[in-house]
Amino acid sequence: MQRFIGTGVALVTPFKDDLTLDIEALINLVNFNIENGIDYLVINGTTAESATISDEEKDQIIDVIIKTNNNRLPLVLGVGGNNTLQVVKELQTRDFSGIDGILSVAPYYSKPTQEGFYQHYKALASATDLPIILYNVPGRTAKNMEPVTTLRLANDFANIVAVKEAGNNQQQYNTLLKEKPSDFLIISGDDDLALGVTLAGGSGVISVIGQAFPKEFSTMINHGLQGNNKEGYEIHFKMMDIVDFIFEENNPAGIKTVLQELNICSNNVRLPLVKASSKLQAKIANYIKNSKLPILN
């Protein structure tokens, strides 16, 4: 699964002031990331505010990104939920032309047992031949998918090829890296831990901050993949503050504020999310104005 090694970015969904889709900004964001070293793009993930995107808007977003990408990078589409039958139906009925893989979030709110997680993903794996990236994010789903379950799925289903692990738990990463099948990818979902996980044997990251600083973040991850500890951490340390800032209140309000400061898209978000506070906006603006970012020419 070489297509999913390196730096993927979980794209935001840009909105105009009236909260309709900003297609021009989305096109610009996609091109900016492709031209600055990102390895693959993730569509309709959590950072895209997928919970507030209509089916019609989702189709439009997918179409725009596929056309803009023009086969330059692999594309991963978020297809998940806590209604297993509904997710299976989408996998069986959607046209996935132009899509290289699926990112499927662990069922949220329902708080399934570990066997429930297993049976959910078994149903998904049986419904499609596309590569599936599991997505464990207990801070949002309210239930951790434990390494034993992830590894059981990795061993039992050939098209479950990776996990985006976002529990911000270094020990859980270490267990997965130690016990995983040789061809199964451990992808960091935590920007702050991404370099360390990659240096320990991970396959890279699906990043939030990476879409604002694609050259810097992808260079850092490439250093990690090559085992260049010193060079990787030189970039990591310079980016630590901005990574902390974007998650200080909520995602994607933080990253959209960064993107607005970089004149890529507005910081508009849809309810129940609200824009970053004026205090955080000022902090981010000051950081970008006075920091050494971008740090690569």
Side-chain angles (χ1 to χ4, degrees):
M1 287 294 101
Q2 297 294 314
R3 289 172 291 180
F4 311 131
I5 293 175
T7 303
V9 290
L11 295 168
V12 303
T13 301
F15 298 127
K16 298 178 181 178
D17 288 342
D18 63 359
L19 297 184
T20 58
L21 298 179
D22 189 339
I23 298 302
E24 182 179 355
L26 180 59
I27 291 170
N28 290 338
L29 177 65
V30 169
N31 282 324
F32 175 66
N33 276 270
I34 293 173
E35 292 163 4
N36 284 281
I38 291 303
D39 296 298
Y40 60 100
L41 303 172
V42 178
I43 308 167
N44 198 52
T46 303
T47 303
E49 297 174 73
S50 54
T52 64
I53 300 295
S54 70
D55 290 341
E56 293 77 15
E57 288 173 328
K58 181 177 178 179
D59 290 340
Q60 186 179 6
I61 291 165
I62 294 168
D63 184 59
V64 166
I65 294 176
I66 288 175
K67 288 180 179 177
T68 304
N69 181 53
N70 195 25
N71 295 312
R72 288 181 286 176
L73 294 183
L75 299 178
V76 174
L77 179 63
V79 182
N82 61 349
N83 181 339
T84 305
L85 293 179
Q86 183 176 329
V87 179
V88 166
K89 182 179 179 180
E90 181 172 0
L91 290 173
Q92 292 175 334
T93 58
R94 175 175 289 282
D95 179 5
F96 287 99
S97 301
I99 300 297
D100 298 278
I102 297 300
L103 176 69
S104 195
V105 68
Y108 42 81
Y109 187 76
S110 303
K111 298 177 72 173
T113 63
Q114 297 304 306
E115 183 64 23
F117 281 128
Y118 179 87
Q119 293 298 331
H120 170 82
Y121 281 119
K122 176 182 178 180
L124 272 54
S126 301
T128 182
D129 293 327
L130 281 168
I132 295 173
I133 302 172
L134 311 174
Y135 181 16
N136 183 42
V137 56
R140 288 185 178 273
T141 63
K143 188 71 177 286
N144 184 43
M145 185 165 67
E146 297 171 4
V148 64
T149 303
T150 299
L151 295 167
R152 182 183 173 198
L153 288 162
N155 282 300
D156 288 357
F157 301 99
N159 62 331
I160 294 180
V161 300
V163 62
K164 177 187 177 184
E165 178 63 37
N168 211 255
N169 182 329
Q170 187 63 57
Q171 186 58 39
Q172 185 148 304
Y173 277 114
N174 290 343
T175 299
L176 290 167
L177 289 166
K178 177 177 179 288
E179 303 293 340
K180 74 179 186 69
S182 60
D183 58 350
F184 187 73
L185 308 182
I186 308 301
I187 299 170
S188 175
D190 299 301
D191 282 350
D192 57 341
L193 299 181
L195 176 60
V197 170
T198 305
L199 284 164
S203 298
V205 64
I206 294 177
S207 174
V208 176
I209 194 62
Q211 65 198 294
F213 301 105
K215 187 175 292 186
E216 288 76 15
F217 213 80
S218 61
T219 299
M220 181 187 78
I221 293 300
N222 284 335
H223 282 309
L225 291 168
Q226 295 163 19
N228 300 330
N229 184 304
K230 180 181 177 181
E231 294 86 348
Y233 273 107
E234 285 178 356
I235 300 175
H236 170 85
F237 291 140
K238 291 176 181 177
M239 299 195 71
M240 280 178 61
D241 288 344
I242 195 65
V243 169
D244 287 344
F245 292 164
I246 66 168
F247 296 110
E248 190 171 300
E249 293 182 356
N250 69 65
N251 182 43
I255 184 60
K256 281 190 167 182
T257 298
V258 175
L259 292 169
Q260 178 169 271
E261 289 297 320
L262 297 173
N263 297 312
I264 294 172
C265 72
S266 78
N267 66 345
N268 295 316
V269 293
R270 287 178 174 173
L271 291 171
L273 299 183
V274 296
K275 292 181 181 180
S277 66
S278 57
K279 180 179 179 181
L280 181 57
Q281 289 188 47
K283 189 187 297 187
I284 288 172
N286 183 67
Y287 179 88
I288 291 175
K289 179 182 178 181
N290 296 301
S291 73
K292 299 298 183 181
L293 295 174
I295 55 180
L296 299 174
N297 295 320

